[in-house]
Amino acid sequence: MNVFYEESGSFKVGSIVSRSDASLQVDTQHGKRAKIKSSNVFLEFTSSLADFLPSVEKLTQDIDLDFLWECSPDDEFGHDELAADYWGHTPSSLESAAIIMRLFGAPMYFYKKGKGRYKKAPEEALKAALAGVERKKREQEQIDAWVAELKTGALPEAIRSQLMTLLWKPDKNTLEFKAFDQAARELSQSPLKLAQAVGGIPSVPDYLMAGFLMEYFPKGTGFGKYAAPALPDDLPLSAVRAFSIDDANTTEIDDALSVEVLPDGGRRVGIHIAAPTLGAASGSDIEKLVWSRLSTVYFPGDKITMLPDDVVDAFTLKEGHDCPAFSLYVDVNADFEPVAYESRIERVHVAANLRHAELEQQFNEDTLLNDPGVDYPFKQELIWLWHFANALEKRRGKYDPTRPVQMDYNFNVVDGKVAITLRKRGAPMDKLVSELMILANSEWGRMLAEADIPAMYRAQSMGKVRMTTRPEPHIGLGVAQYAWATSPLRRATDFINQRQLEAMIRGEKPVFTQGDAMMFALLRDFDATYSAYLSFQDRMEHFWCLRWFTQEGVTDPTATYIKEDLVRIDGLPMRARIPGLPELNRGDRIQLSVIRIDELMAEIEFRFVGVVGHVEEASEDEGN
């Protein structure tokens, strides 16, 4: 006697060797001995074991499912009942097995209710299930068609329109993702390399920008609708004539300076900061934009401003205008010692916006040491401020004329070409501005602390820079506290601190009090967002460094050894790891050869050629 049984979701046959109440020993059609449960046996038969399953499968294919569903009763039924109704006579073992196999393989048509027991699916449920199958079939056909296109090097339009989303924030349930992923796997390529191969990434900067915008500006970089700021009209006008010092491309001019001669021969230095908070009340649209963006985003060739252009234009310290400002006046004696401080909210006349390129030709280390007698705007003020800046640097304990010069790098991108220029860090005009901003930030931070008004501070200890709402030392700068307050057009921290300064100066209740949860939330969000913006800037600068090698045809750069396998490429803000370097000393200059550049993957490979010299390395202070 033979049995037809089910095991692990498939039907099998075997010859009975022995049986008990709960199980049987059978020899399968393949000659193996197996133990099966009696409950898994559907029927017994005497016909040929070898021919049984092929005959059943052939018979099963001829059974029309829709007709079988129509024939089945509405109530629960057994397979033997349906077999008798379908065949119109007492079914043979082959016919019974065919019905069993058909029922078992059609779960959309028949719901299993127990061993050999079924119930037909309701008509609406069956229609929905069949529609789903048909939809999946059409979807798979579409996926297959897109995969075929991708494998020929073509990019289907439907995938092109979703490509950046597929690369940066894919939804794995979409047909586009399934097709793109399948094509990449079949071609043994990464999705990014496939996108490049089919022409989906004509511009690496655009690709990097798309990912950044998707993460941090999902609604776009526009500002939408907002109420225009109200310019204050009741501020007193200062008698000073201020000037700013900025790059030619700077539109958010946050700070300006002024110098007055005092009767005792000392000077009164004015540090004047743009005042956007005076036109943006708490809860206003402008404030909401600040809380949303938190900072201006900088990257080579462009920027995404924290505030709309018309708001920036209303409060930037523009040449020829009387501008709202928060002013810190510092009385300085003949020995360049600050002796008194005063904070005011006022209008300041900005007499000039001096620009780096023009000013540096006239105001530099050479002209300061060897005055050629050439006159230029604010010459006397600038020379005096430079001496004052040196005194401030000494006061902080950071003055070291023997320290090797560090370099800053400027990126200028025009029509897809990059120019990377170097500027000495600590040049007179840079030192002048940075020292006075450090002075303003540290002193305003002190004043806020003494008034028990919380603020956003930068603190540094053990080499780590962090944000805090309480004053703590910034070891890298050599100050007891450092509150960011001098860039309110560009950073939310400075905007917040300006709100707090306004309360301090006017003797009013501050917007944020000690322990304010909103202030902590803003600090946390700013810290994370600002770091992300800086990381994006670094990625974009790294790309343009890679592009510079190709653009300039540089194949044999030099580098300066730092440690282990790490070197700094000369003339670029780029570090690289060079495997297999020989024993070197810090500061050794080495010759390299460019082996490979992959702009899309942000990779460059160098080979060590030899040692060409040695330079004294400047120490790298933490940023402020």
Coordinates of all heavy atoms in Angstrom, one line a residue, residues 143-188:
I143 N 9.6 46.7 -13.4 CA 11.0 46.6 -12.8 C 11.9 45.9 -13.8 O 13.0 46.4 -14.0 CB 10.9 45.8 -11.4 CG1 10.2 46.6 -10.4 CG2 12.3 45.4 -11.0 CD1 9.9 45.8 -9.1
D144 N 11.5 44.8 -14.3 CA 12.3 44.1 -15.3 C 12.7 45.0 -16.5 O 13.8 44.9 -17.0 CB 11.6 42.8 -15.8 CG 11.5 41.8 -14.6 OD1 12.2 41.9 -13.6 OD2 10.6 40.9 -14.8
A145 N 11.7 45.8 -16.9 CA 12.0 46.6 -18.1 C 13.0 47.7 -17.7 O 13.9 48.0 -18.5 CB 10.7 47.3 -18.6
W146 N 12.9 48.3 -16.5 CA 13.8 49.3 -16.1 C 15.2 48.7 -15.9 O 16.2 49.3 -16.2 CB 13.4 49.9 -14.8 CG 12.2 50.9 -15.0 CD1 11.9 51.6 -16.1 CD2 11.3 51.4 -14.0 NE1 10.8 52.4 -15.9 CE2 10.5 52.3 -14.6 CE3 11.1 51.1 -12.6 CZ2 9.4 53.0 -13.9 CZ3 10.1 51.8 -12.0 CH2 9.3 52.7 -12.6
V147 N 15.3 47.5 -15.3 CA 16.5 46.8 -15.1 C 17.2 46.6 -16.5 O 18.4 46.8 -16.6 CB 16.4 45.5 -14.4 CG1 17.6 44.6 -14.4 CG2 15.9 45.7 -12.9
A148 N 16.4 46.2 -17.5 CA 17.0 45.9 -18.8 C 17.6 47.2 -19.4 O 18.7 47.2 -20.0 CB 15.9 45.3 -19.7
E149 N 16.9 48.3 -19.2 CA 17.4 49.6 -19.7 C 18.7 50.0 -19.0 O 19.7 50.4 -19.6 CB 16.3 50.7 -19.5 CG 15.2 50.7 -20.5 CD 14.4 52.0 -20.3 OE1 14.8 53.1 -20.7 OE2 13.2 51.9 -19.8
L150 N 18.7 49.9 -17.7 CA 19.9 50.2 -16.9 C 21.1 49.4 -17.3 O 22.2 49.9 -17.4 CB 19.6 50.1 -15.4 CG 18.6 51.1 -14.7 CD1 18.1 50.6 -13.4 CD2 19.3 52.5 -14.6
K151 N 20.9 48.2 -17.6 CA 22.0 47.3 -17.9 C 22.5 47.6 -19.3 O 23.7 47.2 -19.6 CB 21.5 45.8 -17.8 CG 21.3 45.4 -16.4 CD 20.7 44.0 -16.3 CE 21.7 42.9 -16.6 NZ 21.1 41.6 -16.3
T152 N 21.8 48.3 -20.1 CA 22.3 48.8 -21.4 C 23.0 50.1 -21.3 O 23.5 50.6 -22.3 CB 21.2 48.8 -22.5 OG1 20.2 49.8 -22.1 CG2 20.4 47.5 -22.6
G153 N 23.0 50.7 -20.1 CA 23.6 52.0 -19.9 C 22.6 53.2 -20.1 O 23.1 54.4 -20.0
A154 N 21.3 52.9 -20.2 CA 20.3 54.0 -20.3 C 19.7 54.2 -18.9 O 19.7 53.3 -18.1 CB 19.2 53.6 -21.3
L155 N 19.3 55.4 -18.7 CA 18.6 55.8 -17.4 C 17.2 56.1 -17.6 O 16.8 57.1 -18.2 CB 19.3 57.0 -16.8 CG 18.8 57.5 -15.4 CD1 18.9 56.4 -14.4 CD2 19.6 58.7 -14.9
P156 N 16.2 55.2 -17.2 CA 14.8 55.5 -17.4 C 14.4 56.8 -16.7 O 14.9 57.1 -15.7 CB 14.2 54.3 -16.7 CG 15.2 53.2 -16.7 CD 16.5 53.9 -16.6
E157 N 13.5 57.5 -17.4 CA 13.2 58.9 -16.9 C 12.5 58.8 -15.5 O 12.8 59.7 -14.7 CB 12.2 59.5 -17.9 CG 11.9 61.0 -17.6 CD 13.1 61.8 -17.5 OE1 14.0 61.6 -18.4 OE2 13.2 62.7 -16.6
A158 N 11.7 57.7 -15.3 CA 11.1 57.6 -13.9 C 12.2 57.5 -12.8 O 12.0 58.0 -11.7 CB 10.2 56.4 -13.9
I159 N 13.3 56.8 -13.1 CA 14.3 56.7 -12.1 C 15.2 57.9 -12.1 O 15.6 58.3 -11.0 CB 15.2 55.4 -12.5 CG1 14.4 54.2 -12.3 CG2 16.5 55.4 -11.6 CD1 15.1 52.9 -12.5
R160 N 15.4 58.6 -13.2 CA 16.2 59.8 -13.2 C 15.6 60.8 -12.3 O 16.3 61.5 -11.5 CB 16.2 60.4 -14.6 CG 17.1 61.6 -14.8 CD 17.0 62.3 -16.1 NE 17.5 61.3 -17.2 CZ 18.7 61.2 -17.5 NH1 19.7 61.9 -16.9 NH2 19.1 60.3 -18.5
S161 N 14.2 61.0 -12.3 CA 13.6 62.0 -11.5 C 13.7 61.7 -10.0 O 13.5 62.6 -9.2 CB 12.1 62.1 -11.9 OG 11.4 60.9 -11.6
Q162 N 13.9 60.4 -9.7 CA 14.0 60.0 -8.3 C 15.5 59.6 -7.8 O 15.7 59.2 -6.7 CB 13.1 58.8 -8.0 CG 11.7 59.0 -8.3 CD 11.0 59.9 -7.3 OE1 11.3 59.9 -6.1 NE2 10.2 60.8 -7.8
L163 N 16.4 59.9 -8.7 CA 17.8 59.3 -8.5 C 18.4 59.8 -7.2 O 19.0 59.0 -6.5 CB 18.7 59.6 -9.7 CG 20.0 59.0 -9.7 CD1 19.9 57.4 -9.6 CD2 20.8 59.3 -10.9
M164 N 18.4 61.1 -6.9 CA 19.0 61.6 -5.7 C 18.4 61.0 -4.5 O 19.1 60.7 -3.5 CB 19.0 63.1 -5.7 CG 19.9 63.8 -6.8 SD 21.6 63.3 -6.6 CE 21.9 62.4 -8.2
T165 N 17.1 60.9 -4.5 CA 16.4 60.2 -3.4 C 16.8 58.8 -3.2 O 17.1 58.3 -2.1 CB 14.9 60.3 -3.5 OG1 14.5 61.7 -3.7 CG2 14.2 59.7 -2.4
L166 N 17.0 58.1 -4.4 CA 17.4 56.7 -4.3 C 18.8 56.6 -3.7 O 19.1 55.6 -3.1 CB 17.4 56.1 -5.7 CG 16.0 55.9 -6.4 CD1 16.2 55.4 -7.8 CD2 15.2 55.0 -5.6
L167 N 19.7 57.5 -4.0 CA 21.1 57.5 -3.6 C 21.2 57.9 -2.1 O 22.1 57.4 -1.4 CB 22.0 58.3 -4.5 CG 22.1 57.8 -5.9 CD1 22.9 58.8 -6.7 CD2 22.8 56.5 -6.0
W168 N 20.4 58.9 -1.7 CA 20.6 59.5 -0.4 C 19.6 59.0 0.7 O 20.0 58.7 1.8 CB 20.6 61.0 -0.4 CG 21.8 61.6 -1.1 CD1 21.8 62.1 -2.4 CD2 23.1 61.8 -0.5 NE1 23.1 62.6 -2.6 CE2 23.9 62.4 -1.5 CE3 23.6 61.5 0.7 CZ2 25.2 62.8 -1.3 CZ3 25.0 61.8 0.9 CH2 25.7 62.4 -0.1
K169 N 18.4 58.9 0.3 CA 17.3 58.5 1.3 C 16.3 57.6 0.6 O 15.2 58.0 0.4 CB 16.6 59.8 1.9 CG 17.5 60.7 2.7 CD 16.8 61.8 3.4 CE 16.1 61.3 4.6 NZ 15.4 62.4 5.4
P170 N 16.8 56.4 0.3 CA 15.9 55.5 -0.5 C 14.7 55.0 0.3 O 14.9 54.6 1.4 CB 16.9 54.4 -0.9 CG 17.9 54.4 0.1 CD 18.1 55.8 0.6
D171 N 13.6 54.9 -0.4 CA 12.5 54.1 0.1 C 12.5 52.8 -0.6 O 12.2 52.6 -1.8 CB 11.2 54.9 -0.3 CG 9.9 54.2 0.3 OD1 10.1 53.0 0.7 OD2 8.8 54.7 0.2
K172 N 12.8 51.7 0.2 CA 13.0 50.4 -0.4 C 11.8 49.8 -0.9 O 11.8 48.7 -1.5 CB 13.8 49.5 0.6 CG 15.1 50.0 1.0 CD 15.9 49.1 1.9 CE 17.3 49.6 2.2 NZ 18.0 48.7 3.1
N173 N 10.6 50.4 -0.7 CA 9.4 49.8 -1.1 C 9.0 50.3 -2.5 O 8.0 49.8 -3.1 CB 8.2 50.1 -0.2 CG 8.5 49.4 1.2 OD1 8.8 48.3 1.2 ND2 8.2 50.2 2.3
T174 N 9.7 51.3 -3.1 CA 9.3 51.8 -4.4 C 9.8 50.9 -5.5 O 10.9 50.3 -5.4 CB 9.9 53.2 -4.5 OG1 11.3 53.2 -4.5 CG2 9.4 54.2 -3.4
L175 N 9.1 51.0 -6.6 CA 9.6 50.2 -7.8 C 10.9 50.7 -8.3 O 11.7 49.9 -8.7 CB 8.5 50.3 -8.9 CG 7.1 49.8 -8.6 CD1 6.2 49.9 -9.8 CD2 7.1 48.4 -8.0
E176 N 11.1 52.0 -8.2 CA 12.3 52.6 -8.7 C 13.5 52.1 -7.9 O 14.6 51.7 -8.5 CB 12.3 54.1 -8.6 CG 11.3 54.8 -9.6 CD 9.9 54.8 -9.1 OE1 9.6 54.3 -8.0 OE2 9.0 55.4 -9.8
F177 N 13.4 52.0 -6.6 CA 14.5 51.5 -5.8 C 14.7 50.0 -6.1 O 15.9 49.6 -6.3 CB 14.2 51.6 -4.3 CG 15.2 50.9 -3.5 CD1 16.4 51.5 -3.2 CD2 15.0 49.6 -3.0 CE1 17.4 50.8 -2.4 CE2 15.9 48.9 -2.3 CZ 17.1 49.5 -2.0
K178 N 13.7 49.2 -6.2 CA 13.8 47.8 -6.5 C 14.5 47.5 -7.8 O 15.4 46.7 -7.9 CB 12.5 47.1 -6.5 CG 11.8 47.1 -5.1 CD 10.4 46.5 -5.1 CE 9.8 46.5 -3.7 NZ 8.4 45.9 -3.7
A179 N 14.2 48.3 -8.8 CA 14.8 48.2 -10.1 C 16.3 48.6 -10.1 O 17.1 47.9 -10.6 CB 14.0 49.0 -11.2
F180 N 16.5 49.7 -9.5 CA 17.9 50.2 -9.4 C 18.8 49.3 -8.6 O 19.9 49.0 -9.0 CB 17.9 51.6 -8.8 CG 19.1 52.5 -9.1 CD1 19.3 53.0 -10.4 CD2 20.1 52.7 -8.2 CE1 20.4 53.7 -10.7 CE2 21.2 53.4 -8.5 CZ 21.4 53.9 -9.8
D181 N 18.2 48.8 -7.5 CA 19.0 47.9 -6.6 C 19.3 46.6 -7.4 O 20.4 46.1 -7.3 CB 18.2 47.7 -5.3 CG 19.0 46.7 -4.4 OD1 20.1 47.1 -3.9 OD2 18.4 45.6 -4.1
Q182 N 18.3 46.1 -8.0 CA 18.4 44.8 -8.8 C 19.5 45.0 -9.9 O 20.3 44.1 -10.1 CB 17.1 44.4 -9.4 CG 17.1 43.1 -10.1 CD 15.8 42.6 -10.6 OE1 14.7 42.9 -10.0 NE2 15.7 42.0 -11.8
A183 N 19.4 46.1 -10.6 CA 20.4 46.3 -11.7 C 21.8 46.4 -11.1 O 22.7 45.9 -11.7 CB 20.0 47.6 -12.5
A184 N 21.9 47.1 -10.0 CA 23.3 47.3 -9.4 C 23.8 45.9 -9.0 O 25.0 45.6 -9.2 CB 23.2 48.2 -8.2
R185 N 23.0 45.1 -8.4 CA 23.4 43.7 -8.0 C 23.8 42.9 -9.2 O 24.8 42.2 -9.1 CB 22.4 43.1 -7.1 CG 22.3 43.7 -5.7 CD 21.3 42.9 -4.8 NE 19.9 43.2 -5.0 CZ 19.1 42.4 -5.7 NH1 19.5 41.3 -6.1 NH2 17.9 42.8 -5.9
E186 N 23.0 42.9 -10.2 CA 23.2 42.1 -11.4 C 24.5 42.5 -12.1 O 25.2 41.7 -12.7 CB 22.0 42.1 -12.3 CG 20.8 41.4 -11.7 CD 19.6 41.3 -12.7 OE1 19.8 41.7 -13.9 OE2 18.6 40.9 -12.3
L187 N 24.8 43.8 -12.0 CA 26.0 44.4 -12.7 C 27.2 44.3 -11.7 O 28.3 44.8 -12.1 CB 25.8 45.8 -13.1 CG 24.8 45.9 -14.3 CD1 24.4 47.4 -14.5 CD2 25.4 45.4 -15.6
S188 N 27.0 43.9 -10.5 CA 28.1 43.9 -9.4 C 28.7 45.3 -9.3 O 29.9 45.4 -9.2 CB 29.1 42.9 -9.8 OG 28.6 41.6 -9.9

